Amino acid sequence: MSEPAADIPADEGAAPDVEMDEWLRVNPLTMMVHMARMLASAIIPAIAVLYGAASSEPDSEGLAAITPWFVPLLGAILGFNLLAAWFSWYRLRYRVGDTDVRLEQGVISRSARSVPYERIQDVSLEQKLVPRLLGLVEVKFETGAGGKEELKLSYVSEAEGEKLRETVRALVDGEAAAPAEGPTAPDGTPSGDLAAEPAGQTLFAMDTKRLFLFGLFNFSLVVFAVLLGALQQLEFLLPFDVWDYIADIVRDDRIAEAEELVNGYSTIAQILAILYAIGAVVVVGMASGVVRTFVRDWEFRLERTAKGFRRRRGLLTKTDVVMPVHRVQALVVSTGWLRRRFGWHGLSFISLAQDAGGANHDVAPFAQMEEIAPIAHEAGFSLPDERADWRRASADYYFDRAVLQALIPATAGLVLLVLGYAIVAVLLFALAGLLVFGEYYMWRFVRHALDPQQVLSRRGWLAPRDIIASRVKLHSVEISQHPLARWRGYCTLRFGLAGGRLAFAGLSLEDAREMRHAALDSIAAVDFAKLPR
Amino acid sequence: MDTEPLTQLDPAYATVMRIEGAIIVAPFLIAAVVLGLAGAFPAPWTWAPLAVPVLIALVFVLLVPIKRYLARGYHMSSDRLRVVRGVMFHADTVVPFSRVQHLDVEQGPLERAFGIARLILHTAGTHNSSVTLPGLRHGDAVAMREEIRAHVKRESL
């Protein structure tokens, strides 16, 4: 994959610029990617159908009867897919123009999309496994339209993708329609692995050791769910019916036998068996966490380049995202209840562009606060410390919540106590107590603060999550009250934040008004369009 | 800033809400009248089914529109628009002009008949991405739009 794709036109190395105002087609190897994807989705069902047809025959001749048809069938599928892939390649073209990027596609029904440069939030590159093997990248022009309606160019060669990105980014930044400064490849060695961007200062990187540690904290039992799902999907491939088998076990009292067996063990053996089971689950959970983390965050690197923050990560799917500094709307500092004991936190940016389905961009998923602070500073934010003017929400609010939540279990408990179900009643009382206790802790640990440039929010008790929003990047302020809140004199304060939500529940009215007033004065003083671009 | 006097909406807005309420209640009233005419209930109770829709009509045509109308209001200062609404669920939203992305003035058929319009401010925020101010005289809405737009334009130059 380090060698450039064979189909790159020979003159590309000589001309570093993207052709302007020319209709271009994407890399022909794209057809291979489409083929691979279509085959993967067509062949497996085909095999399943064949297998099913063969095994449903009572005599073994079923398979023999189908074998002669196998090769022509496969050939037909292949040929049809190749034709379809060629057509869709042939009918797709793009143009990098003076004012916009255009993409026309569709075999029978054509669609033409134009994205003006002013609306392009960012250009990112993504490599999934197959395109990566072929040296191709997918170029995404993100518009902040919620991730769905962005313009995607799949696929171009790595060098072409890098040039496209540089050219478009230069145009977005208003450097006129003259990318002749030769944005990339001054040294002429695009290493082919999503490189070629001028190297920046590395802000954060995760080595294998750190990744492994991160993986251990990413304990996940999702593998069990996946196994169960796979079992359900691929059941037909198994030589026996799983559910019948389980039903058999239950019906034939094999469970009871097992129980007798376990009962037969000594107490120590029983405890050991339970410990073993728990240990096995923990080990599997940690292992799957490590694997998932390695796949997602392999070679995680965050750099500060002239254009903004650049993040690269991924083992099978490599992504390369550049976030311009001024597009960062707010920071989120989060942690976990266990990793927090060791000082590990995660930093992500809230921005208009989306990141792999999530609204926030991870920039330092597993780092110590000393590592996070410089990144936050680089983004123009400062992390809150204990000197900040932290305030709590109205105690009345949490009192009301506690009463409302505890009311039903407490009443039910009382009724049951009268009826004589003492144990259930005690359990219900305990539940009510727990809910009240939870609200008390919410009151103690949910805080907000206002500093001269920022609005701060901290939520969570075991694993606090901080949101740090820049005051001038807020868009509106709303104070809302429901009937109970009006009676009790508290309210909810909501800020309009691009790409995220920032709300404070249960603030006292005076506090909310003060925050609104301060925030509005900062907002109105700076025009959105005048924010540094 | 919370003490500033709110500007009342156009009284025609209350009328429009009344008519909308009447349109919702009308089918039930008609159904009750039909039931009465058909004599579905014995003698002293012939017109009893009317009671429920009439009660609902009183609430939705007389009470709710006027309460809503009184609860709503706005205040436009030199750099921001404040919109207040809600009888039970109260909301008080402020949008600085400098954060307005684009503006709409909309009119439904009823609103057009009464010469009123809705002014809609769109912002880039996820929450409150559009703030609606209904019940303005159409001319006022257009004037406000022009003023906010001029402000946006001036600021961004």
Side-chain angles (χ1 to χ4, degrees):
Chain A
M1 65 196 102
S2 58
E3 55 196 15
D7 283 52
I8 300 178
D11 62 338
E12 282 218 354
D17 306 328
V18 173
E19 306 252 9
M20 299 286 297
D21 291 333
E22 289 277 323
W23 283 103
L24 300 168
R25 291 211 173 84
V26 295
N27 197 295
L29 280 178
T30 303
M31 286 187 274
M32 299 302 293
V33 182
H34 285 303
M35 285 282 288
R37 193 187 302 147
M38 282 197 266
L39 285 180
S41 59
I43 288 232
I44 291 173
I47 290 174
V49 165
L50 286 174
Y51 180 87
S55 57
S56 67
E57 296 287 321
D59 47 356
S60 60
E61 257 182 78
L63 201 60
I66 223 132
T67 314
W69 294 101
F70 193 74
V71 173
L73 196 67
L74 200 70
I77 294 176
L78 271 174
F80 180 75
N81 279 344
L82 188 63
L83 201 67
W86 182 80
F87 259 118
S88 68
W89 171 78
Y90 183 74
R91 298 285 282 164
L92 187 149
R93 54 181 199 163
Y94 66 94
R95 193 186 76 171
V96 179
D98 288 336
T99 55
D100 60 358
V101 180
R102 280 160 191 257
L103 176 76
E104 290 185 3
Q105 62 182 333
V107 177
I108 295 163
S109 62
R110 299 280 287 170
S111 85
R113 175 168 289 171
S114 148
V115 179
Y117 290 131
E118 298 92 71
R119 288 291 169 268
I120 293 180
Q121 295 286 327
D122 191 22
V123 189
S124 64
L125 304 180
E126 184 173 312
Q127 278 188 309
K128 293 211 168 68
L129 184 60
V130 176
R132 197 167 160 211
L133 294 175
L134 294 168
L136 301 176
V137 289
E138 182 176 61
V139 186
K140 281 189 205 165
F141 300 94
E142 296 183 27
T143 57
K148 281 273 176 276
E149 289 301 310
E150 64 210 354
L151 194 144
K152 276 186 199 172
L153 215 55
S154 51
Y155 298 86
V156 297
S157 71
E158 283 161 353
E160 176 75 6
E162 195 61 51
K163 276 183 294 186
L164 257 175
R165 169 154 88 171
E166 284 306 317
T167 309
V168 171
R169 208 179 277 151
L171 289 168
V172 169
D173 288 349
E175 291 173 21
E181 302 156 48
T184 57
D187 44 0
T189 50
S191 71
D193 233 20
L194 287 186
E197 169 120 345
Q201 170 205 359
T202 301
L203 288 176
F204 181 72
M206 291 203 288
D207 54 14
T208 319
K209 203 177 130 199
R210 172 80 64 97
L211 265 181
F212 185 73
L213 202 59
F214 184 27
L216 290 184
F217 283 108
N218 269 343
F219 180 86
S220 143
L221 292 177
V222 76
V223 67
F224 290 110
V226 169
L227 277 179
L228 268 179
L231 197 66
Q232 214 163 16
Q233 287 294 314
L234 304 173
E235 208 183 349
F236 65 91
L237 290 177
L238 291 176
F240 58 92
D241 189 321
V242 187
W243 307 114
D244 277 356
Y245 184 67
I246 291 173
D248 277 350
I249 290 182
V250 176
R251 197 177 48 233
D252 299 350
D253 288 339
R254 284 186 217 169
I255 289 261
E257 283 169 31
E259 198 185 318
E260 275 168 35
L261 195 68
V262 172
N263 282 337
Y265 290 159
S266 66
T267 320
I268 294 173
Q270 281 182 22
I271 292 171
L272 278 179
I274 290 168
L275 282 180
Y276 174 77
I278 293 174
V281 167
V282 167
V283 166
V284 169
M286 281 186 163
S288 65
V290 168
V291 169
R292 268 161 40 114
T293 307
F294 267 70
V295 168
R296 191 188 56 213
D297 288 334
W298 182 251
E299 288 188 339
F300 190 101
R301 270 183 85 178
L302 180 75
E303 288 167 331
R304 177 74 165 93
T305 64
K307 296 275 158 56
F309 294 99
R310 180 183 191 205
R311 188 201 64 192
R312 279 174 288 179
R313 67 172 180 182
L315 184 63
L316 301 176
T317 298
K318 266 197 132 182
T319 60
D320 182 351
V321 179
V322 176
M323 292 159 272
V325 177
H326 62 270
R327 299 256 159 77
V328 180
Q329 306 284 329
L331 305 187
V332 178
V333 180
S334 55
T335 184
W337 63 272
L338 186 59
R339 68 188 72 169
R340 177 167 169 240
R341 307 284 151 212
F342 303 94
W344 297 108
H345 291 78
L347 176 70
S348 51
F349 290 163
I350 293 178
S351 82
L352 278 175
Q354 302 223 330
D355 184 24
N360 303 350
H361 286 275
D362 287 332
V363 286
F366 193 64
Q368 296 284 338
M369 284 314 264
E370 305 90 80
E371 293 168 307
I372 287 177
I375 305 175
H377 182 74
E378 204 65 54
F381 292 82
S382 58
L383 292 178
D385 50 22
E386 290 316 311
R387 282 172 300 152
D389 178 21
W390 287 108
R391 297 182 206 178
R392 290 192 185 120
S394 159
D396 287 349
Y397 170 69
Y398 288 104
F399 180 80
D400 292 355
R401 273 177 65 99
V403 168
L404 286 176
Q405 290 193 13
L407 200 62
I408 294 173
T411 320
L414 211 61
V415 170
L416 286 171
L417 194 66
V418 172
L419 292 178
Y421 299 98
I423 297 172
V424 187
V426 166
L427 282 177
L428 282 170
F429 283 135
L431 176 66
L434 204 68
L435 290 172
V436 171
F437 187 72
E439 289 304 320
Y440 168 71
Y441 266 93
M442 288 289 275
W443 172 71
R444 278 204 57 184
F445 287 95
V446 175
R447 297 165 185 212
H448 60 275
L450 196 64
D451 74 12
Q453 277 85 41
Q454 305 173 127
V455 178
L456 312 167
S457 151
R458 172 170 290 174
R459 297 182 68 85
W461 157 35
L462 287 169
R465 176 184 154 94
D466 287 4
I467 300 179
I468 304 152
S470 174
R471 269 161 71 164
V472 297
K473 286 178 181 171
L474 300 171
H475 295 264
S476 63
V477 193
E478 181 186 277
I479 293 179
S480 63
Q481 288 178 301
H482 52 79
L484 182 63
R486 286 180 84 177
W487 179 47
R488 301 277 285 157
Y490 51 82
C491 63
T492 300
L493 177 70
R494 288 196 184 86
F495 289 107
L497 173 69
R501 288 176 188 280
L502 185 62
F504 301 93
L507 265 53
S508 73
L509 215 51
E510 306 83 70
D511 199 6
R513 285 193 177 135
E514 189 187 324
M515 281 184 71
R516 174 168 83 168
H517 187 71
L520 275 173
D521 281 349
S522 314
I523 298 171
V526 184
D527 188 83
F528 184 56
K530 272 201 245 162
L531 290 173
R533 278 175 67 88
Chain B
M1 58 163 290
D2 278 290
T3 52
E4 71 223 349
L6 291 175
T7 313
Q8 282 286 347
L9 300 174
D10 193 276
Y13 179 53
T15 316
V16 168
M17 282 194 290
R18 285 211 174 101
I19 295 174
E20 282 169 353
I23 291 172
I24 293 170
V25 173
F28 298 98
L29 269 177
I30 292 170
V33 169
V34 168
L35 276 179
L37 286 178
F41 291 82
W45 304 102
T46 311
W47 298 103
L50 259 182
V52 179
V54 163
L55 213 69
I56 296 175
L58 283 178
V59 170
F60 276 91
V61 177
L62 294 181
L63 192 67
V64 171
I66 195 70
K67 289 206 84 167
R68 272 207 187 141
Y69 172 74
L70 289 177
R72 283 186 189 246
Y74 68 94
H75 180 263
M76 190 155 143
S77 66
S78 60
D79 60 354
R80 62 192 76 162
L81 177 69
R82 177 168 169 228
V83 178
V84 178
R85 65 179 192 281
V87 181
M88 285 175 72
F89 293 85
H90 192 80
D92 181 343
T93 312
V94 183
V95 183
F97 296 159
S98 55
R99 294 297 179 277
V100 172
Q101 299 282 336
H102 59 275
L103 293 143
D104 290 333
V105 173
E106 287 187 2
Q107 273 186 310
L110 256 180
E111 287 166 313
R112 195 145 71 209
F114 284 87
I116 59 173
R118 278 167 288 163
L119 177 69
I120 303 172
L121 277 64
H122 296 270
T123 74
T126 307
H127 185 260
N128 268 335
S129 61
S130 61
V131 175
T132 307
L133 176 58
L136 298 167
R137 284 237 74 79
H138 186 253
D140 291 350
V142 171
M144 281 167 78
R145 179 184 69 185
E146 292 310 317
E147 193 183 331
I148 296 172
R149 193 163 73 183
H151 193 94
V152 170
K153 211 171 181 179
R154 192 171 62 241
E155 294 270 311
S156 51
L157 276 178

